[in-house]
Amino acid sequence: MRRYWRIFQEFFRTCFVEELEYRSEFLGNLLSSFFGVGIAVLTVQIFFYQTNQLGGWAYADVLILLGIFNTLQGAIDFALRPNMSRLLEHVRKGTLDYILTKPVDSMFYVSFRHLVFWRLIDILLGVGLIIYGLVQKHYIPSLADILMFSVSLFSSLVLIYSLWMMLMTTSFWVIRIDDLSFIFYSFFETTRFPIGMYRGWLRILLTYVLPAAFITNTPAVALLGKWNGVTTLLSIGIAGLFLWLSRRFWRYALRSYTSASS
Amino acid sequence: MFRKYIALIRMKYVEMLAYRLATIVWMTGAMVQPLITMVVWTNIYPSQSNSFILYFITLIFVERMTSAWDVWELDREIREGTFSNYILRPFHPIHWAIAENIVYKVLFLIVLLPIWGVLAVFVPALRPDVSGWQFVLFVTALFLGATLRFMFSYICGLLGFWVTKVTAIYGMFEVVSLFLSGRIAPLSLLPPILKQISMYLPFRYMIGFPIDIVMGTMTRVEIGYGFFGAMAWAIIFISVLRWLWKAGLKKNQAVGG
């Protein structure tokens, strides 16, 4: 574990150096991140221009949810997304061999090798939005709330990672598509709003099959002090289950991987 | 001219076949956001669910039929210098783009119409009460919308002769148009000031206007004004396009040139 943490730090350092070569783009990226958050808030405002609750959530609650969404999206764009297209290329060209022969876990390597730093701004903006939502609501979370929030946020990160990894692993078979991440984002969009909004089979699907409910909703509810132990435990369980599944799937895919020349 | 187009269309058709899977994935993905927005609105106004379902399913259809991607193609081709190949040919490059648009949109039509048909069997809201006259108006508005969006995208692409980040600029316009074209909300639900602004900008005529015709919420005068606005923007876009094309060719220096 310690060793992997050190390797991750090393990835971090090399990517940071790489990114410093493109310093001039920083301002543009900063602006586009602010623009993105601004538009998201504006969208919520358009909805609340016509109503005062959405799936049982008030304006401030939805802002907190949006903040969590933005934070998680930032995390995806920071660590996961940059690696997707590269794996596709490795599989297509057969250069995955180089990674498989390295004395590091291949799944770890392909998912964290490339990092895009300026996306950390999105995480900061997301946190800012969460705080703004709390201020709007005049609610100060207790220590227990924050603890529960952190646990469920961690589960959602694991969950996102597993779902992402499963999608990425399909690239061993589907190499015609240049950007599979598009599929993930389409699904991820559903977590932008309260899950209570969805009805019937759609809600069941988004809670149990593709656990969107556990990604943004559970942490938001926890932060607002409405957590319960069972849900939190459930979120940890589901995250663990999905991580195990994605691991199995990766192994299975590797077994069927035949390098480029064979 | 006609024979040339047949040849172009055949070529683009073969190209498309190679990317079938990607096309289908993009198409399905593009439906997600309107569907989520639809769920939001049916939550806000449960009693009007049916009209929101019709609105947003029509939106998906109109959005696909008017979609434009030429800015990305042009940006890449101009930046990498491969655009010169097209300039050399004795045929305006825009015809390639138009042929491609025709091929893809026929494909969208072939996929989407049966889906609509099947859905309509189960969802009564999807059987709109549209008169023959209204239908003609809708198709005309849809065609105008597709033309406007295509030209707008092509204009932004041609800006690539001068600036390198055209896709970022286009992305910004796309986001603004989310609100002003009726994709986040039917224009009648927007704050009045935004609604006012949308009447004068081109975005509404690309997507929202054809949908409003199907919904039957506009008076005759409003429809008349709508067509006037769409035509006016079409004329503006055509002139800008011609002018940019001439100016751009003078400016163009391919990579290595």
Side-chain angles (χ1 to χ4, degrees):
Chain A
M1 201 66 201
R2 283 257 317 269
R3 182 159 152 263
Y4 278 93
W5 177 240
R6 259 207 358 257
I7 297 173
F8 184 72
Q9 282 178 328
E10 207 52 32
F11 289 163
F12 199 89
R13 204 181 56 78
T14 44
C15 293
F16 190 63
V17 172
E18 221 173 283
E19 194 119 343
L20 283 182
E21 289 181 33
Y22 302 99
R23 259 167 307 189
S24 61
E25 291 190 0
F26 180 77
L27 190 69
N29 293 334
L30 191 72
L31 280 178
S32 92
S33 284
F34 268 97
F35 190 66
V37 172
I39 290 298
V41 174
L42 199 61
T43 309
V44 172
Q45 272 178 349
I46 297 270
F47 294 143
F48 277 88
Y49 180 70
Q50 299 285 343
T51 184
N52 49 28
Q53 60 88 23
L54 204 57
W57 294 48
Y59 178 63
D61 300 349
V62 176
L63 280 190
I64 292 171
L65 191 71
L66 198 62
I68 294 172
F69 177 84
N70 213 69
T71 309
L72 293 173
Q73 190 166 39
I76 296 172
D77 290 341
F78 162 66
L80 298 178
R81 187 174 192 189
N83 295 288
M84 172 78 88
S85 55
R86 286 180 170 100
L87 178 67
L88 286 167
E89 214 167 289
H90 282 315
V91 174
R92 194 163 43 214
K93 291 187 182 162
T95 44
L96 191 69
D97 300 4
Y98 297 124
I99 294 171
L100 294 178
T101 49
K102 284 192 172 71
V104 192
D105 182 71
S106 54
M107 183 167 153
F108 169 78
Y109 188 95
V110 297
S111 38
F112 295 116
R113 175 60 188 85
H114 296 277
L115 309 167
V116 174
F117 280 89
W118 59 270
R119 283 301 185 170
L120 291 174
I121 302 167
D122 284 327
I123 297 183
L124 287 181
L125 285 175
V127 174
L129 201 54
I130 295 172
I131 294 171
Y132 177 72
L134 285 174
V135 171
Q136 282 270 309
K137 210 182 156 63
H138 303 293
Y139 183 79
I140 301 169
S142 69
L143 212 60
D145 295 349
I146 294 181
L147 187 74
M148 281 310 200
F149 167 72
S150 317
V151 171
S152 35
L153 194 69
F154 179 72
S155 312
S156 13
L157 281 171
V158 174
L159 195 55
I160 288 175
Y161 174 70
S162 316
L163 289 169
W164 179 275
M165 208 48 224
M166 284 195 235
L167 181 67
M168 203 154 133
T169 310
T170 58
S171 63
F172 281 94
W173 294 279
V174 203
I175 36 179
R176 258 271 142 75
I177 303 175
D178 359 292
D179 205 356
L180 286 166
S181 47
F182 181 69
I183 301 175
F184 184 86
Y185 284 111
S186 301
F187 154 73
F188 193 55
E189 271 296 307
T190 58
T191 66
R192 190 190 275 273
F193 297 112
I195 213 77
M197 242 175 47
Y198 302 99
R199 279 169 219 281
W201 58 269
L202 196 59
R203 183 145 161 196
I204 294 171
L205 181 81
L206 288 175
T207 314
Y208 298 105
V209 185
L210 288 164
F214 289 101
I215 291 179
T216 50
N217 282 247
T218 320
V221 170
L223 193 64
L224 289 169
K226 284 176 274 182
W227 49 269
N228 70 60
V230 180
T231 318
T232 315
L233 277 179
L234 203 62
S235 78
I236 299 172
I238 287 185
L241 176 72
F242 272 81
L243 186 63
W244 180 75
L245 279 175
S246 69
R247 187 81 194 159
R248 284 292 299 266
F249 189 40
W250 174 253
R251 284 275 165 82
Y252 173 73
L254 277 190
R255 239 176 289 142
S256 67
Y257 168 72
T258 48
S259 184
S261 54
S262 46
Chain B
M1 189 76 179
F2 186 68
R3 277 198 20 232
K4 281 182 189 166
Y5 253 86
I6 297 288
L8 279 181
I9 286 177
R10 192 171 294 154
M11 197 178 83
K12 289 293 178 190
Y13 174 70
V14 175
E15 261 180 45
M16 179 197 78
L17 284 185
Y19 294 98
R20 254 175 320 206
L21 189 61
T23 312
I24 300 294
V25 167
W26 274 99
M27 206 165 129
T28 336
M31 294 178 187
V32 173
Q33 211 223 354
L35 288 178
I36 294 173
T37 318
M38 179 183 91
V39 172
V40 172
W41 284 112
T42 51
N43 262 276
I44 295 176
Y45 292 113
S47 59
Q48 295 172 38
S49 295
N50 282 346
S51 82
F52 281 115
I53 291 174
L54 178 62
Y55 184 92
F56 282 99
I57 299 296
T58 314
L59 172 74
I60 290 176
F61 178 72
V62 172
E63 201 280 321
R64 274 301 84 194
M65 295 310 288
T66 60
S67 64
W69 51 84
D70 301 273
V71 62
W72 283 279
E73 305 275 318
L74 277 174
D75 171 61
R76 189 172 45 81
E77 283 167 358
I78 292 176
R79 195 157 26 86
E80 293 176 358
T82 47
F83 195 61
S84 315
N85 293 338
Y86 289 97
I87 299 177
L88 285 176
R89 295 178 200 179
F91 201 34
H92 198 301
I94 202 168
H95 295 303
W96 264 270
I98 293 175
E100 189 177 70
N101 268 274
I102 293 173
V103 168
Y104 274 92
K105 279 162 193 176
V106 168
L107 172 82
F108 293 156
L109 201 64
I110 292 172
V111 176
L112 288 176
L113 279 187
I115 295 180
W116 188 311
V118 172
L119 280 177
V121 174
F122 300 102
V123 188
L126 292 179
R127 291 172 228 152
D129 187 19
V130 178
S131 66
W133 186 229
Q134 225 178 334
F135 184 74
V136 173
L137 286 180
F138 169 70
V139 174
T140 319
L142 184 67
F143 177 75
L144 270 173
T147 318
L148 283 174
R149 234 176 134 188
F150 168 76
M151 285 199 287
F152 185 68
S153 167
Y154 210 86
I155 286 173
C156 284
L158 286 183
L159 288 178
F161 283 125
W162 293 270
V163 263
T164 47
K165 288 224 157 168
V166 279
T167 52
I169 299 172
Y170 186 75
M172 210 98 118
F173 276 122
E174 273 286 285
V175 173
V176 172
S177 89
L178 274 185
F179 297 94
L180 298 177
S181 67
R183 271 188 274 184
I184 293 287
L187 290 172
S188 52
L189 293 177
L190 288 180
I193 177 76
L194 280 184
K195 195 186 166 193
Q196 250 336 238
I197 295 172
S198 75
M199 298 291 159
Y200 295 99
L201 291 175
F203 306 114
R204 178 205 172 209
Y205 304 106
M206 298 175 181
I207 295 172
F209 181 54
I211 307 176
D212 284 342
I213 292 180
V214 173
M215 300 303 292
T217 45
M218 283 188 295
T219 62
R220 277 169 184 219
V221 182
E222 281 174 324
I223 294 180
Y225 273 122
F227 274 107
F228 177 74
M231 295 290 213
W233 274 107
I235 293 168
I236 294 174
F237 279 169
I238 290 175
S239 342
V240 173
L241 198 59
R242 300 186 80 133
W243 179 76
L244 268 185
W245 176 247
K246 279 196 198 123
L249 278 194
K250 275 186 204 143
K251 168 87 181 147
N252 180 38
Q253 292 173 319
V255 174

